[in-house]
């Protein structure tokens, strides 16, 4: 079926982004995988080319493009070109909306131009060593003292965590009922703020993921994003977009793994015939293809709903749950079809398989997605 989500304008954007990746990312991906992060120069090149925070209005240097279909194109091309190290989804899809919708004009003037230009890499730090799924259990504190906020605590598994110049930190601020949470923007180099080296992960190795600590870390109270004590409301409002972003990458990832496996099945000979012509293999390919196409249509529909401001928390959680589980089952089957070659690092499917695993964990695990969908059913 013809895909109806994208227009010619999106496809032109795809062509431009693909040639950007072929020139500025693809030649470096192996090195980025070994060093555990992408070069800072790559962020600046992406900024100069207009691929970062493009939703930001022109007065702050952006393009003012508020259409998630462009974010979809970026996700699809990153996957198709096997560039797993970027933190673009985190920067464009997840952090930019906080800055755009909940920051004051003064904060926007200070931070947005750097985000657009690629001078400032962003991160959002919610997870802690002691609390991930259950954000209500975080223990990092934000004490408001006059015109300063004092942060104490530690965060872990933070995407862009080692290179970020601006981190939105979720902290317990204890208003009224003692459950208040506040989002505080912390800039690189602030006294008492430490960023670790990249953590050693089983996949997405070029994407830097780090720990950070805050020890009597003082930032101006003017760095509070939104109202003190109301951060969880902002997080909840942004989560559908974050989860849909992961679902979009999941569909693209499943499709790419499938295409590699299909090409292999058309070439590889076993028992005197091409692998794909064995009936069980053929049926397996048909099942994988069907799962991808059905999932892709649904995720496209969710993108339309997001653009229309209608995507609910439950719908986004269901899309993430389904798309990432589908990605995992398709990718694992794809690797299986490569036999022993699939287990060899020089075959792209090996890395694609490793990189896929985390999709069912970050942005809320599959179990938590099921919990959100399930609770919605009982309401
Ligand atoms: C590569 C990577 C990048 C990440 N990037 C970021 C980031 O940028 N910012 C950020 O803040 N965090 C980030 N995270 C953290 C991620 O969101 C958390 O790891 C995730 O939400 C799970 O939290 P946890 O690791 O503490 O696991 P836990 O919450 O301890 O869960 C452990 C297991 O128990 C299950 N479980 C927990 N509660 C229930 C329940 N009620 N019912 C059934 N099962 C349950 C979970 O599904 C999981 O399988 C990242 C993680 C990774 C691995």
């Amino acid at each position: 079926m013809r895909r109806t989500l994208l227009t010619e304008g999106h496809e032109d954007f795809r062509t431009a982004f693909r040639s950007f990746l072929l020139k500025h990312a693809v030649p470096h991906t192996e090195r980025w995988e070994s060093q555990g992060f992408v070069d800072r120069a790559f962020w600046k090149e992406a900024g100069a080319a207009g691929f970062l925070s493009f939703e930001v209005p022109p007065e702050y240097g952006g393009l003012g493009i508020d259409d998630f279909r462009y974010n979809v194109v970026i996700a699809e091309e990153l996957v198709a070109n096997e560039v797993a190290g970027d933190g673009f989804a985190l920067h464009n899809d997840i952090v930019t909306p906080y800055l755009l919708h909940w920051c004051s004009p003064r904060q926007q003037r200070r931070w947005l131009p750097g985000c657009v230009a690629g001078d400032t890499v962003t991160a959002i730090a919610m997870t802690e060593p002691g609390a991930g799924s259950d954000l209500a259990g975080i223990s990092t504190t934000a004490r408001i003292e006059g015109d300063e906020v004092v942060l104490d605590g530690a965060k872990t598994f933070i995407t862009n965590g080692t290179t970020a110049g601006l981190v939105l930190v979720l902290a317990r601020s204890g208003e009224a009922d003692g459950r208040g949470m506040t989002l505080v923007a912390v800039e690189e180099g602030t006294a008492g703020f430490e960023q670790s080296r990249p953590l050693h992960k089983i996949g997405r190795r070029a994407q830097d993921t780090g720990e950070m600590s805050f020890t009597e870390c003082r930032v101006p109270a003017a760095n509070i994003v939104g109202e003190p004590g109301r951060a969880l409301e902002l997080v909840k409002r942004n989560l559908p977009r974050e989860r849909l972003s992961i679902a979009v990458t999941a569909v693209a990832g499943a499709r790419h793994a499938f295409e590699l496996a299909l090409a292999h099945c058309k070439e590889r000979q076993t028992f005197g015939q091409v692998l794909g012509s064995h009936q069980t293999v053929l049926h397996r390919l048909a099942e994988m293809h069907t799962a991808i196409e059905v999932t892709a249509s649904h995720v496209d529909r969710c993108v339309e709903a997001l653009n229309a401001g209608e995507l609910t928390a439950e719908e986004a959680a269901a899309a993430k749950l389904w798309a990432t589980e589908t990605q995992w089952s398709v990718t694992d089957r794809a690797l299986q079809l490569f036999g022993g070659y699939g287990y060899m690092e020089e075959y792209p499917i090996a890395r694609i398989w490793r990189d896929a695993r985390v999709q069912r964990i970050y942005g809320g695990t599959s179990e938590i997605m099921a919990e959100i969908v399930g609770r919605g059913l009982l309401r």
Side-chain angles (χ1 to χ4, degrees):
M1 277 185 292
R2 192 172 54 85
R3 189 181 192 192
T4 54
L5 182 73
L6 305 177
T7 66
E8 213 174 297
H10 299 107
E11 293 304 340
D12 291 345
F13 181 78
R14 182 190 298 284
T15 306
F17 187 57
R18 184 180 304 157
S19 52
F20 169 78
L21 288 181
L22 290 174
K23 184 167 175 207
H24 295 284
V26 173
H28 307 294
T29 50
E30 285 309 316
R31 184 170 53 77
W32 291 347
E33 286 272 309
S34 322
Q35 72 188 23
F37 57 93
V38 303
D39 298 335
R40 286 292 286 106
F42 176 62
W43 282 91
K44 294 200 179 197
E45 286 153 0
F51 297 123
L52 296 180
S53 302
F54 41 81
E55 261 172 285
V56 168
E59 56 185 303
Y60 299 122
L63 300 173
I65 298 175
D66 178 13
D67 174 356
F68 199 71
R69 291 176 295 176
Y70 287 96
N71 304 57
V72 169
V73 169
I74 286 200
E76 290 177 349
E77 285 305 308
L78 287 165
V79 169
N81 290 286
E82 296 173 6
V83 179
D86 68 288
F88 288 6
L90 197 288
H91 186 83
N92 289 345
D93 302 359
I94 300 171
V95 179
T96 297
Y98 284 96
L99 304 178
L100 214 47
H101 303 307
W102 300 305
C103 277
S104 66
R106 188 167 164 270
Q107 292 173 323
Q108 292 185 335
R109 269 196 304 279
R110 182 170 173 82
W111 296 320
L112 285 177
C115 295
V116 173
D119 294 330
T120 309
V121 175
T122 59
I124 182 155
M126 300 195 265
T127 306
E128 300 187 351
S133 302
D134 179 16
L135 282 182
I138 64 165
S139 58
T140 295
T141 53
R143 217 171 55 244
I144 300 172
E145 286 186 2
D147 58 1
E148 284 186 330
V149 186
V150 187
L151 289 163
D152 278 287
K155 299 286 179 181
T156 193
F157 307 145
I158 307 306
T159 302
N160 296 344
T162 75
T163 47
L166 182 71
V167 184
L168 302 184
V169 182
L170 183 71
R172 178 174 294 288
S173 47
E175 286 80 5
D177 58 1
R179 289 187 311 191
M181 302 266 187
T182 295
L183 207 52
V184 185
V186 180
E187 287 158 294
E188 180 181 29
T190 305
F193 171 41
E194 298 284 337
Q195 292 167 277
S196 74
R197 300 277 308 144
L199 297 170
H200 189 53
K201 306 194 294 297
I202 60 171
R204 295 190 74 84
R205 288 181 182 158
Q207 180 168 73
D208 85 89
T209 307
E211 296 170 323
M212 45 189 64
S213 66
F214 306 90
T215 313
E216 194 66 23
C217 173
R218 289 178 178 271
V219 297
N223 281 24
I224 291 175
V225 173
E227 278 179 55
R230 311 282 297 265
L232 282 183
E233 288 168 38
L234 307 188
V235 170
K236 277 187 190 146
R237 277 157 69 182
N238 210 42
L239 277 175
R241 174 165 157 151
E242 169 171 352
R243 289 176 175 152
L244 182 60
S245 163
I246 296 171
V248 165
T249 297
V251 172
R255 197 184 290 287
H256 187 52
F258 173 75
E259 282 166 2
L260 294 177
L262 180 63
H264 180 74
C265 288
K266 286 179 179 173
E267 295 262 313
R268 177 78 173 167
Q269 298 273 335
T270 67
F271 298 94
Q273 59 187 87
V274 288
L275 182 56
S277 67
H278 294 289
Q279 196 182 45
T280 52
V281 175
L282 192 65
H283 286 191
R284 181 131 293 196
L285 288 169
E287 286 161 13
M288 293 157 75
H289 166 75
T290 306
I292 294 165
E293 292 308 315
V294 172
T295 308
S297 298
H298 180 67
V299 169
D300 276 2
R301 181 68 199 93
C302 290
V303 171
E304 287 169 348
L306 182 83
N307 267 355
E310 292 166 359
L311 188 73
T312 66
E314 290 81 5
E315 287 164 348
K320 182 190 185 269
L321 172 62
W322 185 264
T324 58
E325 291 294 332
T326 300
Q327 177 188 15
W328 180 246
S329 92
V330 166
T331 307
D332 193 51
R333 287 169 165 209
L335 185 145
Q336 189 73 11
L337 288 167
F338 276 87
Y341 297 99
Y343 205 64
M344 298 298 127
E345 282 287 348
E346 67 258 44
Y347 278 73
I349 190 67
R351 206 187 88 194
I352 289 166
W353 179 81
R354 284 196 272 107
D355 289 351
R357 186 63 185 83
V358 74
Q359 290 266 95
R360 297 162 60 217
I361 297 173
Y362 58 23
T365 63
S366 288
E367 293 75 20
I368 297 303
M369 296 306 98
E371 186 72 16
I372 293 168
V373 176
R375 278 193 211 153
L377 296 177
L378 292 183
R379 254 207 313 273

